[in-house]
Amino acid sequence: MRFLVTFFLCLAPRVAFLDAPEVWQFGFQDPATPIAQGIQDFHNDVCFFMVVILTFVLWMLGRTIWHFDAIKNPVPSKIIHGTVLELAWTVTPSFILMIIAVPSFALLYSMDEITDPAVTLKVIGHQWYWTYEYSDYSTADDQSIIFDSYMVAEDDLELGQLRLLEVDNRVVLPVKTHVRVLITAADVLHSWAIPSLGVKCDAVPGRLNQTSIFLNREGVFYGQCSELCGANHGFMPIVVEGVDLEDYISWISNKIEEI
């Protein structure tokens, strides 16, 4: 019986998401938000034009080398004017740039769009850790869900945890929910970046930056500070855990009881 259960589990379809960097990784992490999906789709579309242009340029270089060889053609033709050619190589790139610009601007505007958020997360960068605050659930000015998030030292890692990426306190956010993230810093420049969420926002002292997140699926998403902020810049990772709404409410309730 145990053999049959194991056999059918192996046959069952499984979905594995790449939400953390891997050794020798080439490419994006799996998207978990509409913005991340849009960024990757736009990247793929631009790569199509890049391949077409690269192929054409290499063909032109090869054709030029072949037909203007000194042995085969010791007296090359002298082209003084080429009005049609000049128009073609001016209009065609402009047309291609216009095609690329339309989805580019649409993506940029969608990244700045803030839908009425159900959850607000405040992020403060320090040398060298992050502080998170859930101010929506404050009962008083001095009572709110706030905690620091430090990197787990290599000696303290448990089996399955990622080196230089695991933290002691994860950010927990609900899926299928509009989340507003307010980001600042207490000392120097930092940057709150999570590739699989398509988020990269600078944390500037004295300034409050804003971005939004809409998680499409559950998972654990890893990021790092992406602004050189000092000697331990590489030791302040970011971990966001996406959970369903019921688990999020339970987590919030436990945090409120700890206040």
Side-chain angles (χ1 to χ4, degrees), residues 25-38:
Q25 178 181 344
F26 183 80
F28 292 100
Q29 297 178 15
D30 292 326
T33 64
I35 294 299
Q37 184 67 58

Side-chain angles (χ1 to χ4, degrees), residues 33-40 107 110-112 197-199 212 214 216:
T33 64
I35 294 299
Q37 184 67 58
I39 292 173
Q40 297 188 22
L107 181 60
S110 64
M111 294 172 68
D112 291 335
L197 304 186
V199 173
S212 61
F214 184 86
N216 287 330

Side-chain angles (χ1 to χ4, degrees), residues 190-250:
H190 301 276
S191 184
W192 201 72
I194 306 174
S196 56
L197 304 186
V199 173
K200 184 178 184 296
C201 188
D202 286 344
V204 184
R207 178 173 177 174
L208 200 63
N209 289 331
Q210 179 175 273
T211 187
S212 61
I213 297 175
F214 184 86
L215 296 176
N216 287 330
R217 57 180 173 84
E218 299 179 23
V220 180
F221 313 105
Y222 294 87
Q224 291 176 298
C225 177
S226 297
E227 186 73 43
L228 186 60
C229 57
N232 292 333
H233 159 68
F235 302 100
M236 49 183 304
I238 305 161
V239 181
V240 173
E241 183 174 355
V243 299
D244 61 28
L245 189 57
E246 293 182 1
D247 292 339
Y248 175 74
I249 294 175
S250 177

Side-chain angles (χ1 to χ4, degrees), residues 17 24 31 34 36 40 45 89 113 117 146 158 167 189 229 253:
F17 292 104
W24 297 102
Q40 297 188 22
D45 295 339
W89 72 38
E113 183 180 2
I146 183 170
E158 299 178 359
V167 297
L189 290 176
C229 57
S253 300

